[in-house]
Amino acid sequence: KAGVTQTPRYLIKTRGQQVTLSCSPISGHRSVSWYQQTPGQGLQFLFEYFSETQRNKGNFPGRFSGRQFSNSRSEMNVSTLELGDSALYLCASSGFGASNEKLFFGSGTQLSVL
Amino acid sequence: GENVEQHPSTLSVQEGDSAVIKCTYSDSASNYFPWYKQELGKRPQLIIDIRSNVGEKKDQRIAVTLNKTAKHFSLHITETQPEDSAVYFCAAREGGGNKLTFGTGTQLKVEL
């Protein structure tokens, strides 16, 4: 079974631009969560989608948004990029039943804002 | 919201020794506590998890204990090996959904 796939692997943008990151969950998984990882703040929850609906949201500004498609693939968008948005963005998916709480992470998208 | 504290931030042990990492959480409604291992440049990998209705869980050299009354949980690694060297994160899930609050991580170094 293929794991969680994130694209692109690396991105370089300049301040003020916007960016879209993509995540394909493990086949059959319907929950997709996004996390931001930085050396200073650690792993911070951005939002979670389940069956195309946002189920949870973290404490990030409205510049950070996401969506989920009917095939469970998800995208997150960051508008008006700031230097502080430079981070590793991780996507995680989870499945059904007793193991539906287990989150499996992708390799992430390393975003650098110049 | 939930707050998770993790100690120590760095831990150095000799190969074959045991390592213990401790976490405390603030929200008594949290019901699921996973541990992740992240090697440099790689994705976080789930190594063990425990639900709030269980006090202890073991998987080979790794064990997790949970004290709901004190709101703390710990990761125990026995017979450490160099390949155990990594950053370990604890996390807590509050209520429904899959929102995890992570600790700040422990850099474990296993020395030969």
Side-chain angles (χ1 to χ4, degrees):
Chain A
K1 206 180 231 186
V4 179
T5 305
Q6 291 188 246
T7 56
R9 190 73 178 88
Y10 301 95
L11 264 179
I12 299 176
K13 293 286 186 179
T14 56
R15 280 180 299 173
Q17 288 187 310
Q18 74 166 22
V19 66
T20 299
L21 313 181
S22 180
C23 172
S24 293
I26 292 171
S27 179
H29 284 191
R30 291 165 59 187
S31 167
V32 174
S33 305
W34 289 89
Y35 290 82
Q36 181 195 65
Q37 185 173 27
T38 59
Q41 298 297 318
L43 279 150
Q44 291 191 294
F45 174 78
L46 281 154
F47 27 66
E48 179 201 4
Y49 287 87
F50 181 82
S51 294
E52 302 179 66
T53 301
Q54 189 179 84
R55 184 156 71 172
N56 279 299
K57 189 177 189 309
N59 298 321
F60 278 81
R63 299 186 297 107
F64 292 81
S65 63
R67 59 177 175 169
Q68 187 179 34
F69 302 96
S70 58
N71 62 357
S72 294
R73 190 177 70 85
S74 178
E75 290 180 346
M76 69 163 281
N77 185 76
V78 188
S79 62
T80 320
L81 284 166
E82 301 178 358
L83 295 178
D85 297 334
S86 294
L88 178 66
Y89 290 89
L90 291 161
C91 166
S93 75
S94 61
F96 287 106
S99 63
N100 68 353
E101 59 211 354
K102 297 182 187 293
L103 262 63
F104 298 94
F105 282 89
S107 296
T109 294
Q110 184 67 56
L111 173 64
S112 298
V113 182
L114 307 178
Chain B
E2 177 64 278
N3 182 53
V4 177
E5 294 190 358
Q6 183 172 347
H7 299 281
S9 56
T10 61
L11 179 58
S12 187
V13 300
Q14 294 293 121
E15 183 180 8
D17 286 351
S18 295
V20 180
I21 302 170
K22 298 182 178 182
C23 290
T24 60
Y25 61 99
S26 61
D27 190 346
S28 56
S30 288
N31 55 18
Y32 173 69
F33 307 91
W35 286 87
Y36 285 85
K37 173 185 180 182
Q38 188 175 29
E39 296 174 81
L40 191 62
K42 296 192 175 180
R43 70 186 74 191
Q45 286 192 301
L46 179 66
I47 56 171
I48 197 167
D49 56 3
I50 192 167
R51 288 181 153 189
S52 57
N53 59 350
V54 176
E56 184 174 358
K57 185 177 178 181
K58 190 174 181 181
D59 183 3
Q60 299 183 340
R61 297 186 297 109
I62 294 173
V64 57
T65 58
L66 171 65
N67 182 326
K68 279 173 52 179
T69 303
K71 289 189 278 189
H72 66 70
F73 55 114
S74 301
L75 177 71
H76 304 253
I77 306 174
T78 59
E79 301 171 20
T80 54
Q81 302 166 4
E83 51 265 39
D84 293 330
S85 297
V87 178
Y88 291 80
F89 292 95
C90 63
R93 184 188 70 177
E94 44 186 314
N98 284 315
K99 177 183 177 181
L100 293 180
T101 300
F102 282 86
T104 49
T106 296
Q107 175 74 63
L108 173 64
K109 183 177 181 182
V110 180
E111 298 175 331
L112 297 170

